[in-house]
C-alpha cells in the first residue's frame, strides 16, 4: 500500500520530515507458490516487462522476487546526432527472504537495485540564443546540444527487519537498512551545439539507518515509541563550462551527516467518541562539510577532462579559488504533536491537530565565499508549525464519502536557494537564505460517490495560498519580488468517473478523468519560465477475467495533447524549458500462474 501523509512527520517512525511523507509498505509473503508476468506496449515504442513471484522454502521460510524492465523511445531527439530525448531505459530488481521461526517472530531480509540508463534530458531553447544565431526548434522535446546524451543513475539497498510480538499488547521491532546511489550525468543550460553553458556532473551518496521501535496497546490506548539513528555521506561535483568567456567553474564537495532521534506517539480514548493524540520527537543532527569552488581557463576542469575531446581543453590548475573550506555544526530540536477527534455519529467525525516540523541547517555546496564570505558559516535550520481542521463523513447509506480539511502552516527561517551572476568574478554566486517568515494556507475537499451500483465518481478540489512574509537578502526584504512559492499552484482539481459492466464472464471497467492545475512559478522570483494553468484528460478501459487470473488494460494519457512546462533554466539570457509527456496510449496486461 501507499500512504500519503501531509504536514510534519516524525512521531511515528523513521526520519523526521517537515512537509509530508510518502510511505511504501510491502505486504508480507504468504509462502504460496505464485508467479505473475505483466507487461505493456504503447506510444513511442514503449516496451515494459515485469516478472514477480514467491514460493515457500519450508513451513517457516518464504522467498519472493520481482524483476522489471521499462523501455521507451524518446519524445524528441538531438537534431544533430539523432540521440533520443525523454526516453526510458530502466532495469530494476528486488528479492526478499522472510522467516517465521515462531508465531511471534517475523524476519525479513530484502535487497533491491535499480539501474537507469535513460538518456540525459536536454531542454528546449525557448528564445533566440543570446550568443549565436540559434532559434527555437519546432518541437519542445527536441534540442541541438553539443553534449553527449550518456546518463547513468544507479541505486541499491539492503534491509533487515525483525518483529517480535512479546505479548498481545507489546511488540518490538528492529529495522536496519543501508542504501547507496551513484549518478553520472550531463546538463546543458543552453541546449545548442556550443559549450556556452555545459554542466557535466556526478553525485554519490550512501547511508546507514537503525531503528528500534516499541508498540503497546490496551483497550483505550495505543503507544508507538522508538529510537532512530542515521549516518550518511553525500558528495558530488560539476563543471559550469562557460565557453563564451573561455572559462570553466568547478564546484565540488561532500557532507557527512549523523542524526539521532527519540520519538513517541500516544493515543487515548477519553470517551467512546472522543480521542486524544499526543506526540513528540527530539532530533539531534550533526553535519561536517568540505566545499570547493574554483575557476579554470579553458573548457572543462581536470575533474571532467575525459568528457571533452575538442580543442582548448581546460587548465590543470585554477586561476582563481573562490571557495575552499571545511566546517561543521550541530542542531537540536523538540517537535511536538497534538490532536483531537470526535465521532459525532457513526457517519461523521471531526478532528483538529497541531504538529511542528524541523529541518536541520547545513552548508551550501555551491556557495561562493569570494562574493558571500558568510557562506562558510552555513545556514540555519527551518521550522514549521501546522494546524489542521477537518471533517470526514459518509451518508446516503454510505454511497457518498465527503472529506474536507483546512490547514495553516507558519514557516520560520525557510531555506531557499538564490543564484545570481557576479560581473566582478564572471561566475555564479549561490546562497541558501533563511527566509525569515512565510505562510501556507489551504483547503481540500474530496468526494467519492457511488452514483449507481456500476457508476462511481471521485472529485478532489484544492486551494493553496502560499507567500513569503519576510526574506532578508543583503539587509533588504525582497519578499515582494519573490511573489509566490515555487511549484505551488493556487488551485487544483481532479474529476474521475468509473463505470463497470459484466462482459464475457468477467468485468469491464471504463474510466475517464480530467485534472486541472493552476499556474506555477518555477523560480522563487517570477521569470519567463513560469507556466500557466494546465488541464489534462485521461481515459481507458480495463478487463478483469472472471477467475481473477488475468487482466488487460488500454489507457490514454494527456489525450488532449497539452504542451506544458514543468521545469527549466534561466541564466545568462539562456531560457530553456522542460516539458511534461505528450499524448500517450498504452496496452498493458498481467497473468497469474
Amino acid at each position: 500500500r501507499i500512504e500519503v501523509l501531509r504536514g510534519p512527520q516524525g512521531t511515528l517512525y523513521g526520519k523526521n520530515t517537515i512537509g509530508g511523507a510518502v510511505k511504501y509498505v510491502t505486504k508480507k509473503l504468504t509462502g504460496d507458490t505464485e508467479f505473475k508476468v505483466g507487461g505493456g506496449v504503447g506510444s513511442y515504442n514503449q516496451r515494459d516487462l515485469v516478472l514477480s513471484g514467491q514460493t515457500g522454502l519450508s513451513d517457516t521460510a518464504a522467498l519472493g522476487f520481482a524483476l522489471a524492465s521499462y523501455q521507451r523511445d524518446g519524445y524528441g531527439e538531438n537534431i544533430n546526432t539523432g540521440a533520443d530525448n525523454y526516453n526510458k531505459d530502466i532495469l530494476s530488481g528486488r528479492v526478499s527472504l522472510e522467516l517465521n521461526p515462531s508465531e511471534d517472530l517475523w524476519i525479513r531480509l530484502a535487497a533491491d537495485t535499480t539501474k537507469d540508463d535513460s538518456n540525459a534530458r536536454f531542454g528546449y531553447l525557448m528564445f533566440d540564443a543570446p550568443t549565436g544565431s540559434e532559434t527555437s526548434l519546432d518541437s519542445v522535446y527536441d534540442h541541438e546540444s553539443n553534449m553527449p546524451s550518456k546518463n547513468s543513475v544507479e541505486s541499491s539497498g539492503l534491509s533487515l527487519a525483525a518483529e517480535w510480538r512479546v505479548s498481545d499488547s507489546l511488540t518490538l521491532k528492529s529495522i536496519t537498512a543501508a542504501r547507496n546511489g551513484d549518478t553520472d550525468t550531463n546538463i546543458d543550460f543552453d541546449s545548442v551545439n556550443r559549450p556556452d553553458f555545459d554542466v557535466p556532473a556526478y553525485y554519490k551518496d550512501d547511508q546507514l539507518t537503525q531503528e528500534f521501535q516499541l508498540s503497546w496497546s490496551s483497550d483505550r490506548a495505543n503507544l508507538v515509541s522508538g529510537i532512530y539513528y542515521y549516518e550518511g555521506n553525500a558528495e558530488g561535483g560539476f563543471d559550469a563550462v562557460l565557453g563564451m568567456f573561455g572559462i570553466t567553474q568547478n564546484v565540488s564537495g561532500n557532507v557527512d551527516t549523523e542524526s539521532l532521534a527519540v520519538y513517541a506517539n500516544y493515543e487515548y480514548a477519553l470517551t467512546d467518541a472522543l480521542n486524544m493524540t499526543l506526540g513528540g520527537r527530539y532530533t539531534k543532527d550533526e553535519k561536517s562539510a568540505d566545499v570547493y569552488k574554483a575557476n579554470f581557463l579553458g573548457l572543462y576542469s581536470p575533474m571532467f577532462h575525459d568528457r571533452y575531446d575538442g580543442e582548448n581543453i581546460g587548465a590543470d590548475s585554477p586561476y582563481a579559488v573562490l571557495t575552499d573550506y571545511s566546517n561543521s555544526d550541530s542542531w537540536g530540536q523538540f517537535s511536538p504533536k497534538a490532536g483531537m477527534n470526535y465521532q459525532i455519529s457513526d457517519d461523521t467525525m471531526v478532528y483538529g491537530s497541531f504538529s511542528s516540523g524541523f529541518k536541520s541547517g547545513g552548508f551550501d555546496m555551491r556557495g561562493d565565499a569570494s562574493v558571500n564570505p558568510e557562506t562558510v558559516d552555513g545556514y540555519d535550520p527551518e521550522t514549521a508549525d501546522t494546524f489542521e481542521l477537518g471533517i470526514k463523513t459518509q451518508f446516503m447509506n454510505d454511497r457518498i464519502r465527503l472529506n474536507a480539511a483546512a490547514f495553516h502552516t507558519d514557516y520560520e527561517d525557510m531555506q531557499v536557494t538564490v543564484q545570481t551572476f557576479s560581473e566582478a568574478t564572471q561566475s555564479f554566486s549561490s546562497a541558501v537564505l533563511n527566509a525569515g517568515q512565510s505562510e501556507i494556507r489551504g483547503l481540500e475537499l474530496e468526494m467519492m460517490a457511488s452514483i449507481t451500483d456500476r457508476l462511481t465518481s471521485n472529485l478532489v478540489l484544492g486551494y493553496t495560498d502560499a507567500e513569503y512574509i519576510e526574506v532578508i537578502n543583503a539587509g533588504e526584504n525582497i519578499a515582494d519580488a519573490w511573489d509566490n512559492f515555487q511549484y505551488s499552484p493556487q488551485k487544483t482539481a481532479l474529476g474521475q468517473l468509473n463505470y463497470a459492466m459484466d462482459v464475457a464472464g468477467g468485468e469491464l471497467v471504463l474510466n475517464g478523468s480530467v485534472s486541472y492545475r493552476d499556474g506555477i512559478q518555477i523560480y522563487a522570483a517570477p521569470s519567463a519560465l513560469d507556466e500557466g494553468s494546465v488541464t489534462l484528460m485521461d481515459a481507458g478501459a480495463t478487463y478483469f477475467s472472471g477467475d481473477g487470473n488475468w487482466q488487460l488494460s488500454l489507457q490514454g494519457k494527456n489525450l488532449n495533447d497539452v504542451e506544458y512546462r514543468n521545469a527549466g533554466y534561466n541564466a545568462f539570457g539562456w531560457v530553456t524549458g522542460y516539458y511534461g509527456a505528450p499524448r500517450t496510449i498504452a496496452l498493458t496486461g498481467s497473468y497469474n500462474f
Side-chain angles (χ1 to χ4, degrees), residues 199-338:
V199 182
Y202 86 93
Y203 309 98
K204 290 184 179 180
D205 63 87
D206 60 78
Q207 63 184 51
L208 174 69
T209 62
Q210 174 62 56
E211 182 172 5
F212 295 107
Q213 190 179 97
L214 179 149
S215 301
W216 171 84
S217 63
S218 68
D219 291 340
R220 304 190 69 88
N222 293 287
L223 172 68
V224 176
S225 60
I227 300 174
Y228 179 84
Y229 174 77
Y230 168 100
E231 67 174 18
N233 172 267
E235 69 167 280
F238 67 86
D239 277 354
V241 182
L242 307 177
M244 60 284 218
F245 299 129
I247 64 172
T248 293
Q249 183 173 101
N250 176 257
V251 181
S252 59
N254 70 83
V255 58
D256 290 313
T257 302
E258 188 172 19
S259 178
L260 181 64
V262 293
Y263 62 86
N265 196 87
Y266 180 69
E267 298 177 352
Y268 183 74
L270 298 170
T271 69
D272 290 342
L274 182 63
N275 297 284
M276 172 190 70
T277 299
L278 293 175
R281 179 189 186 96
Y282 181 78
T283 305
K284 180 65 178 294
D285 286 351
E286 298 181 5
K287 293 185 179 181
S288 59
D290 300 302
V291 184
Y292 181 81
K293 189 172 190 175
N295 287 348
F296 295 78
L297 289 174
L299 306 182
Y300 289 79
S301 73
M303 182 177 289
F304 297 102
H305 275 173
D306 60 334
R307 297 204 192 180
Y308 186 68
D309 58 4
E311 299 177 358
N312 195 25
I313 193 75
D316 290 334
S317 301
Y319 71 85
V321 176
L322 309 177
T323 307
D324 188 7
Y325 74 90
S326 298
N327 202 354
S328 61
D329 207 343
S330 63
W331 309 268
Q333 179 79 18
F334 175 73
S335 304
K337 176 181 179 179

Side-chain angles (χ1 to χ4, degrees), residues 270-504:
L270 298 170
T271 69
D272 290 342
L274 182 63
N275 297 284
M276 172 190 70
T277 299
L278 293 175
R281 179 189 186 96
Y282 181 78
T283 305
K284 180 65 178 294
D285 286 351
E286 298 181 5
K287 293 185 179 181
S288 59
D290 300 302
V291 184
Y292 181 81
K293 189 172 190 175
N295 287 348
F296 295 78
L297 289 174
L299 306 182
Y300 289 79
S301 73
M303 182 177 289
F304 297 102
H305 275 173
D306 60 334
R307 297 204 192 180
Y308 186 68
D309 58 4
E311 299 177 358
N312 195 25
I313 193 75
D316 290 334
S317 301
Y319 71 85
V321 176
L322 309 177
T323 307
D324 188 7
Y325 74 90
S326 298
N327 202 354
S328 61
D329 207 343
S330 63
W331 309 268
Q333 179 79 18
F334 175 73
S335 304
K337 176 181 179 179
M340 302 282 285
N341 66 73
Y342 181 70
Q343 197 75 36
I344 298 174
S345 66
D346 291 341
D347 299 326
T348 304
M349 186 265 283
V350 294
Y351 67 91
S353 68
F354 165 82
S355 58
S356 182
F358 164 74
K359 181 180 178 183
S360 66
F363 299 92
D364 183 7
M365 294 292 102
R366 304 181 183 185
D368 189 337
S370 69
V371 178
N372 301 307
E374 64 276 8
T375 189
V376 302
D377 299 323
Y379 49 86
D380 295 330
E382 69 178 30
T383 58
D385 292 332
T386 296
F387 300 86
E388 182 172 340
L389 296 173
I391 182 171
K392 298 180 181 293
T393 65
Q394 293 187 172
F395 49 92
M396 292 186 65
N397 295 322
D398 295 338
R399 298 185 71 90
I400 296 179
R401 177 183 298 171
L402 183 63
N403 300 330
F407 57 92
H408 181 103
T409 298
D410 286 313
Y411 273 96
E412 293 289 335
D413 294 328
M414 175 183 277
Q415 298 162 6
V416 182
T417 299
V418 178
Q419 293 199 33
T420 57
F421 182 72
S422 170
E423 294 290 347
T425 62
Q426 289 291 290
S427 64
F428 273 93
S429 170
S430 171
V432 177
L433 302 180
N434 288 106
Q437 297 179 21
S438 51
E439 294 181 351
I440 304 175
R441 299 171 291 272
L443 299 169
E444 285 192 359
L445 177 68
E446 180 184 30
M447 183 181 71
M448 301 178 65
S450 297
I451 301 172
T452 70
D453 291 343
R454 296 184 177 276
L455 181 63
T456 61
S457 67
N458 184 30
L459 176 66
V460 181
L461 302 175
Y463 174 81
T464 303
D465 180 19
E467 64 175 337
Y468 295 101
I469 306 300
E470 181 183 73
V471 182
I472 303 300
N473 185 23
E476 180 183 358
N477 185 6
I478 61 173
D480 290 341
W482 281 16
D483 196 20
N484 297 310
F485 276 21
Q486 297 169 258
Y487 297 105
S488 298
Q490 191 173 66
K491 295 182 286 293
T492 57
L494 171 68
Q496 297 175 313
L497 284 174
N498 296 280
Y499 185 78
M501 65 182 77
D502 297 329
V503 174

